[in-house]
Amino acid sequence: MDDYFLKVFNPINQKDVSLNITQSWLNFTEKGQFHHKHYHHNSLVSGCLYINAKKENDVILFSKKHNLQNWKIQPKEENQLNCNDVYFFVESCSIVLFPSNLIHSVPPSNADYTRISIAFNSFPSGNIGYVDGRMKGIDFIKIDITKQKEYYGK
């Protein structure tokens, strides 16, 4: 998760900011069950670790948000960059990390086994915003997840 955060967000103050898992939950998906389209509020990066999954059956689907700001231009050939939906096949020990505001879902399972996964959300801790340069102090916030956990008793 730290590698994803540093490569994707590439913060200027890499030693002063990190991601912390704030929530996690276990999913058991039986034959015929699914997870509706959704995204995660109050999280920056979400992820899923697959404990029991088979690549020939199990997928996570990522979808474009449908709003007036999304232009739809008919492509000559559809690919993962210009389509509305992208399927990622997963298997046991796969981990998928993605921006929490990305719409995702899991289609109904047709497998005769229980797909098991651990999903989680994360939030940054440290100095967030413009911490250096001419924009220093703009949209700046210091977040300390550890102190929040101590204060709220979690």
Side-chain angles (χ1 to χ4, degrees):
M1 194 169 71
D2 287 335
D3 190 50
Y4 175 94
F5 179 64
L6 294 177
K7 286 182 179 173
V8 172
F9 289 90
N10 194 22
I12 192 170
N13 57 332
Q14 294 187 3
K15 293 180 181 171
D16 297 328
V17 64
S18 63
L19 280 183
N20 293 282
I21 293 176
T22 54
Q23 298 172 302
S24 63
W25 58 97
L26 197 55
N27 296 304
F28 295 93
T29 307
E30 303 286 347
K31 187 172 187 171
Q33 294 181 326
F34 63 95
H35 300 268
H36 66 282
K37 285 186 177 186
H38 65 283
Y39 60 94
H40 298 233
H41 299 275
N42 201 24
S43 179
L44 184 64
V45 176
S46 294
C48 195
L49 170 63
Y50 294 87
I51 307 300
N52 188 41
K54 296 181 181 174
K55 201 167 197 159
E56 59 272 10
N57 295 317
D58 296 314
V59 300
I60 184 168
L61 170 65
F62 295 102
S63 303
K64 277 187 184 175
K65 286 184 180 179
H66 294 288
N67 61 38
L68 297 175
Q69 296 172 346
N70 285 346
W71 287 67
K72 182 62 180 166
I73 298 171
Q74 184 177 8
K76 180 177 178 182
E77 186 175 305
E78 196 169 85
N79 60 44
Q80 286 187 340
L81 300 175
N82 63 23
C83 65
N84 287 325
D85 299 305
V86 175
Y87 291 88
F88 280 90
F89 288 85
V90 296
E91 59 190 333
S92 296
C93 298
S94 293
I95 186 165
V96 179
L97 301 172
F98 52 92
S100 300
N101 64 354
L102 184 60
I103 295 174
H104 56 285
S105 60
V106 176
S109 172
N110 62 359
D112 290 322
Y113 57 87
T114 303
R115 179 179 52 237
I116 303 172
S117 62
I118 300 172
F120 55 88
N121 288 330
S122 69
F123 204 76
S125 183
N127 298 322
I128 310 297
Y130 291 95
V131 296
D132 199 10
R134 60 178 235 257
M135 299 287 283
K136 186 175 182 175
I138 307 275
D139 291 335
F140 176 79
I141 187 168
K142 181 167 181 62
I143 300 173
D144 188 340
I145 298 262
T146 306
K147 286 187 179 177
Q148 289 178 2
K149 286 180 184 176
E150 290 171 5
Y151 179 79
Y152 292 106
K154 295 182 180 180

